[in-house]
Amino acid sequence: MTAFTADGLQFGKTRHERWRLLPARLGRMLWIAPIILALSVTTLYPTVFLLALAFSKSTLGKPFRGFVGIKHFATTVQDPLFLSAIGRSVAYALSTSLLQLALGFLISLLFTSLLKAGRFLMSLVLLPLMTPPVMVGVAWKLILAPAGGLLNGTLIKYGVISEPISFLGHPLLAWLAIAVADLWQWTPFIVILCFAALSTIPEGVHEAALVDGANAWQRFRHITLPLVAAPLSSIFLLKLILSFKLFDLVYILTFGGPGFATTSAGFSIYRRAIEQFDVGRAAAETIVYGLVIGLATLPVVRLHQHFERRES
């Protein structure tokens, strides 16, 4: 029997009732056990392991050789090379994500207006997305090569330049080359997501606006854009996170050069761990970079929440 207080409030169950409810509780625990196990393996364990490395003297072959406290973090936040790499990564991620979102959204609008032809073109757009990142880097390195490269050869052929340009040997041009390769690879992904967002807009809304005499710009500004604002902010957040993970294109195209001009934060952490064998310092840099990513993406998350509240 369940016990009650003087006010009639339940405050406990008898042993018999607890044993009777035990199978149901065990059943609920078994349902969520795979999720807890997966989160522990993929999130909890790597996080704890990373923190342990960051607070210890660890090399690639001999981890956890001694506790060093916050020494790695103090060194990391005072390292001008790593701070510069973080600055470059943040600037690159924000600029390329905005550009790719704008371009992908415009292409998806074109595909939407083409109706059935747009769905056929969507399958062609998928081709760059299905190309392995390493192959993308190799292909663009061949295109941009000073000697025998397709781009230099074309520019010389039509008299635009008189001698080959080392696109990957100039700091600004090297970043532009990485951005172009990234644009070619990931814009199709943005197009697909934007096309899906535009497909959710009811046709009746546009038809009603046409009846009311709204032109194309007015329909886009007052109907299309507000209805897809929340999905677009989600797409931008996803691409922003992907851009923060920039590594493969830097590794293949420039290897961080010329000098340290195109060294991203991810590539700097890789060199610290793999080339210098300082795994503890690399773990601390990873945590610091993760915090920077969190701060950089927080305004986008808030913007997405604002758009969702406005829709509801």
Side-chain angles (χ1 to χ4, degrees), residues 4-222:
F4 292 86
T5 65
D7 297 329
L9 299 176
Q10 179 181 348
F11 69 86
K13 295 180 181 296
T14 64
R15 181 178 298 179
H16 174 71
E17 288 178 323
R18 287 196 295 267
W19 277 105
R20 185 169 55 84
L21 294 174
L22 185 60
R25 292 176 179 175
L26 289 175
R28 288 194 294 266
M29 291 178 64
L30 288 175
W31 274 108
I32 64 173
I35 300 175
I36 295 175
L37 180 62
L39 290 175
S40 299
V41 172
T42 60
T43 304
L44 182 60
Y45 173 74
T47 302
V48 173
F49 191 80
L50 185 68
L51 286 170
L53 288 173
F55 286 101
S56 66
K57 184 179 181 181
S58 300
T59 61
L60 196 60
K62 297 180 180 180
F64 312 118
R65 292 193 298 169
F67 179 75
V68 297
I70 62 171
K71 176 183 176 182
H72 292 319
F73 292 97
T75 307
T76 296
V77 297
Q78 295 175 5
D79 184 359
L81 292 177
F82 184 68
L83 295 179
S84 298
I86 289 180
R88 285 190 290 268
S89 296
V90 172
Y92 174 86
L94 290 173
S95 58
T96 56
S97 298
L98 282 171
L99 177 61
Q100 291 181 33
L101 179 64
L103 183 60
F105 185 56
L106 291 176
I107 295 175
S108 64
L109 282 172
L110 175 63
F111 286 178
T112 303
S113 64
L114 294 176
L115 298 177
K116 293 183 179 180
R119 298 185 182 277
F120 170 74
L121 292 173
M122 190 65 64
S123 61
L124 298 179
V125 168
L126 284 171
L127 293 177
L129 187 60
M130 293 186 293
T131 306
V134 174
M135 291 305 300
V136 173
V138 171
W140 279 96
K141 192 165 188 175
L142 293 175
I143 292 172
L144 300 170
L150 177 63
L151 182 57
N152 272 298
T154 303
L155 294 176
I156 292 175
K157 178 181 178 180
Y158 289 99
V160 179
I161 58 176
S162 57
E163 57 184 18
I165 299 174
S166 178
F167 292 101
L168 301 178
H170 187 278
L172 179 59
L173 294 180
W175 270 120
L176 289 176
I178 293 172
V180 168
D182 190 45
L183 183 79
W184 183 85
Q185 182 183 13
W186 286 107
T187 299
F189 178 65
I190 305 298
V191 171
I192 293 170
L193 296 180
C194 291
F195 185 82
L198 290 169
S199 300
T200 61
I201 301 177
E203 284 295 328
V205 178
H206 287 287
E207 292 174 359
L210 281 171
V211 172
D212 291 338
N215 57 35
W217 169 248
Q218 290 172 332
R219 294 197 305 272
F220 172 76
R221 181 181 177 184
H222 298 290

Side-chain angles (χ1 to χ4, degrees), residues 298-310:
L298 184 60
V300 185
V301 174
R302 295 287 178 85
L303 184 65
H304 173 69
Q305 293 173 345
H306 168 72
F307 287 140
E308 282 193 328
R309 286 193 299 267
R310 193 175 65 178

